Coordinates of all heavy atoms in Angstrom, one line a residue:
A1 N -122.7 193.3 -52.0 CA -122.7 193.2 -53.6 C -121.3 193.6 -54.1 O -120.7 193.0 -54.8 CB -123.8 193.9 -54.2
A2 N -121.0 194.8 -53.5 CA -119.6 195.4 -54.0 C -118.4 194.6 -53.4 O -117.5 194.3 -54.2 CB -119.4 196.8 -53.4
L3 N -118.5 193.8 -52.3 CA -117.5 193.0 -51.8 C -117.4 191.8 -52.7 O -116.4 191.3 -53.1 CB -117.6 192.7 -50.5 CG -116.7 191.7 -49.8 CD1 -115.3 192.4 -49.8 CD2 -117.1 191.4 -48.3
A4 N -118.6 191.2 -53.0 CA -118.7 190.0 -53.9 C -118.1 190.3 -55.2 O -117.4 189.5 -55.8 CB -120.0 189.5 -54.0
A5 N -118.5 191.5 -55.8 CA -118.0 191.8 -57.1 C -116.4 191.9 -57.0 O -115.7 191.5 -58.0 CB -118.5 193.1 -57.5
A6 N -115.9 192.5 -55.9 CA -114.5 192.7 -55.8 C -113.8 191.4 -55.7 O -112.6 191.2 -56.2 CB -114.2 193.5 -54.6
R7 N -114.4 190.3 -55.2 CA -113.9 189.1 -55.0 C -113.9 188.3 -56.3 O -113.4 187.1 -56.4 CB -114.5 188.3 -53.9 CG -114.2 188.8 -52.5 CD -114.9 188.2 -51.4 NE -114.6 188.6 -50.0 CZ -115.2 188.2 -48.9 NH1 -116.3 187.5 -49.0 NH2 -114.7 188.7 -47.8
A8 N -114.8 188.6 -57.2 CA -114.8 187.9 -58.5 C -113.5 188.0 -59.1 O -112.7 188.9 -59.0 CB -115.8 188.6 -59.4
P9 N -113.0 186.9 -59.8 CA -111.7 186.9 -60.4 C -111.3 188.0 -61.3 O -112.2 188.4 -62.2 CB -111.8 185.5 -61.3 CG -113.0 184.7 -60.7 CD -113.9 185.6 -60.1
A10 N -110.3 188.7 -61.1 CA -109.9 189.8 -61.7 C -109.6 189.5 -63.1 O -109.6 190.5 -64.1 CB -108.6 190.4 -61.1
W11 N -109.3 188.4 -63.5 CA -109.1 187.8 -64.8 C -110.2 187.6 -65.6 O -110.1 187.1 -66.8 CB -108.0 186.7 -64.8 CG -108.3 185.7 -63.8 CD1 -107.8 185.5 -62.7 CD2 -109.3 184.6 -63.9 NE1 -108.4 184.6 -61.9 CE2 -109.2 183.9 -62.7 CE3 -110.3 184.3 -64.9 CZ2 -110.1 182.9 -62.5 CZ3 -111.1 183.2 -64.7 CH2 -111.0 182.5 -63.4
L12 N -111.4 187.7 -65.0 CA -112.7 187.1 -65.8 C -112.8 187.8 -67.2 O -113.1 187.1 -68.2 CB -113.8 187.5 -65.0 CG -115.2 187.1 -65.7 CD1 -115.2 185.6 -65.7 CD2 -116.4 187.6 -64.6
D13 N -112.7 189.1 -67.2 CA -113.0 189.9 -68.5 C -111.8 189.4 -69.5 O -112.1 189.0 -70.8 CB -112.8 191.3 -68.5 CG -114.2 191.8 -67.6 OD1 -115.2 191.1 -67.6 OD2 -114.0 192.8 -67.0
A14 N -110.6 189.3 -69.1 CA -109.5 188.9 -70.1 C -109.7 187.4 -70.5 O -109.5 187.2 -71.7 CB -108.2 189.1 -69.5
W15 N -110.3 186.5 -69.7 CA -110.4 185.2 -70.0 C -111.5 185.1 -71.1 O -111.4 184.4 -72.1 CB -110.8 184.3 -68.8 CG -111.1 183.0 -69.0 CD1 -110.1 182.0 -69.1 CD2 -112.3 182.2 -69.2 NE1 -110.7 180.8 -69.2 CE2 -112.1 180.8 -69.4 CE3 -113.7 182.7 -69.3 CZ2 -113.0 180.0 -69.6 CZ3 -114.6 181.8 -69.6 CH2 -114.5 180.5 -69.8
Q16 N -112.7 185.9 -70.9 CA -113.7 185.9 -71.8 C -113.1 186.3 -73.3 O -113.5 185.8 -74.3 CB -114.8 186.8 -71.3 CG -115.5 186.3 -70.1 CD -116.6 187.4 -69.6 OE1 -116.3 188.5 -69.5 NE2 -117.7 186.8 -69.1
D17 N -112.3 187.5 -73.2 CA -112.0 188.0 -74.4 C -111.1 187.0 -75.3 O -111.0 186.8 -76.4 CB -111.1 189.3 -74.2 CG -112.0 190.3 -73.9 OD1 -113.3 190.3 -74.0 OD2 -111.5 191.5 -73.3
D18 N -110.2 186.2 -74.4 CA -109.4 185.2 -75.0 C -110.3 184.1 -75.6 O -109.9 183.6 -76.7 CB -108.5 184.6 -73.9 CG -107.5 183.4 -74.4 OD1 -106.7 183.6 -75.2 OD2 -107.9 182.3 -74.0
L19 N -111.2 183.7 -75.0 CA -112.1 182.7 -75.5 C -112.6 183.1 -77.0 O -112.6 182.4 -77.9 CB -113.3 182.5 -74.7 CG -113.2 181.3 -73.7 CD1 -114.7 181.2 -72.9 CD2 -112.9 179.9 -74.3
W20 N -113.2 184.4 -76.9 CA -113.7 184.8 -78.3 C -112.8 185.1 -79.3 O -113.1 185.2 -80.5 CB -114.7 186.0 -78.0 CG -115.9 185.6 -77.4 CD1 -116.3 185.5 -76.0 CD2 -117.0 184.8 -78.1 NE1 -117.5 184.9 -75.9 CE2 -117.9 184.5 -77.0 CE3 -117.2 184.4 -79.4 CZ2 -119.2 183.8 -77.4 CZ3 -118.4 183.8 -79.6 CH2 -119.4 183.4 -78.7
S21 N -111.4 185.3 -78.9 CA -110.4 185.5 -80.0 C -110.1 184.2 -80.7 O -109.8 184.1 -81.8 CB -109.1 186.1 -79.4 OG -108.5 185.2 -78.4
T22 N -110.3 183.0 -79.9 CA -110.2 181.8 -80.4 C -111.3 181.6 -81.3 O -111.2 180.9 -82.5 CB -110.3 180.7 -79.4 OG1 -109.3 180.8 -78.3 CG2 -110.3 179.3 -79.8
A23 N -112.5 181.9 -81.1 CA -113.5 181.8 -82.0 C -113.4 182.5 -83.3 O -113.6 182.0 -84.5 CB -114.9 182.5 -81.5
A24 N -112.7 183.8 -83.2 CA -112.2 184.4 -84.6 C -111.3 183.6 -85.4 O -111.4 183.5 -86.6 CB -111.8 185.8 -84.2

């Protein structure tokens, strides 16, 4: 699980935040 989490895209959180700034 830790390895899979580490392989998840590092930019995931930043991408999510960028989406919701568009909503604002």
Side-chain angles (χ1 to χ4, degrees):
L3 181 61
R7 288 176 176 171
W11 40 261
L12 179 60
D13 291 337
W15 182 84
Q16 291 172 325
D17 291 341
D18 174 67
L19 264 182
W20 286 99
S21 67
T22 300

